Amino acid sequence: QATGDFEKLQQLFKRQIDRIALEFAQASGQHKADLLRQLIALRHALAQCYAQGLNDTGRAVRTWEQILKDDPTDLVSLEKLQEFYEAHDEYAKFADILEQSLTGLSEPSAKILALERLADIYDARLDQPKRAEQAWWQILDMDASHVNALEALKEKCLGNADWLGMVNVLQRQEMV
């Protein structure tokens, strides 16, 4: 009985999404921005319906990924995808999602947050210290006083006997 109700609910959400998506394709300006917010809200509801009501995490994940294509700054989708990928030890997929979302992020604080997550995943989960180091350098390029980036890079440079890198980090730290 309950599954049938969720099936109907997901069909309703999908019809509304299709209707708004058609209107969105032809809209402009503030109206287009308002429609995008409506689409994202409906997709969030649809993803929840898939995940909790229908126990279909595959469709929920695809829906959250679609939301991120529309709005790379959507923290709810990033969190849900992180939970899913961590639970399934699919850190490489989550790193790819974060990498893709970076291109759409314009706010420096959001970019730094995504890069911090990437650096942690590359270091702790994917054993890709060079990529982690690149993420830390990107953070430092955006915020020369970022304490975590400075400390992580000092540690990496020391561990790799990268004295030129260490000089670069110390010079940046001195400028702060």
Side-chain angles (χ1 to χ4, degrees), residues 72-73 101-115 142:
T73 65
S101 74
L102 282 173
T103 59
L105 297 174
S106 57
E107 186 67 36
S109 61
K111 247 185 183 163
I112 287 171
L113 181 61
L115 285 165
M142 287 185 280

Side-chain angles (χ1 to χ4, degrees), residues 15-118:
R15 279 196 304 273
Q16 287 181 314
I17 288 168
D18 290 344
R19 181 186 55 78
I20 292 174
L22 284 173
E23 189 177 346
F24 175 80
Q26 298 172 3
S28 62
Q30 184 60 44
H31 182 58
K32 189 168 189 138
D34 292 340
L35 289 172
L36 179 60
R37 280 192 291 279
Q38 288 178 36
L39 274 173
I40 289 170
L42 283 168
R43 286 192 178 123
H44 274 295
L46 179 61
Q48 285 301 110
C49 180
Y50 285 146
Q52 294 176 339
L54 297 172
N55 201 25
D56 187 342
T57 54
R59 288 198 290 183
V61 165
R62 286 189 297 278
T63 304
W64 287 314
E65 288 173 347
Q66 178 61 50
I67 292 169
L68 285 177
K69 286 179 184 170
D70 293 337
D71 179 7
T73 65
D74 188 86
L75 295 178
V76 172
S77 293
L78 279 172
E79 291 298 324
K80 293 293 186 181
L81 288 169
Q82 182 175 8
E83 288 172 19
F84 175 80
Y85 288 132
E86 283 180 349
H88 293 86
D89 285 333
E90 295 184 41
Y91 295 99
K93 285 185 181 180
F94 186 62
D96 288 344
I97 295 288
L98 280 174
E99 289 274 3
Q100 292 168 17
S101 74
L102 282 173
T103 59
L105 297 174
S106 57
E107 186 67 36
S109 61
K111 247 185 183 163
I112 287 171
L113 181 61
L115 285 165
E116 281 182 299
R117 282 180 165 172
L118 269 174

Side-chain angles (χ1 to χ4, degrees), residues 9 11 41 53 65 71 103 134 138 143 147 149 155:
L9 186 59
Q11 290 170 2
E65 288 173 347
D71 179 7
T103 59
Q134 290 169 348
Q138 285 181 277
D143 179 2
V147 175
E155 185 180 307

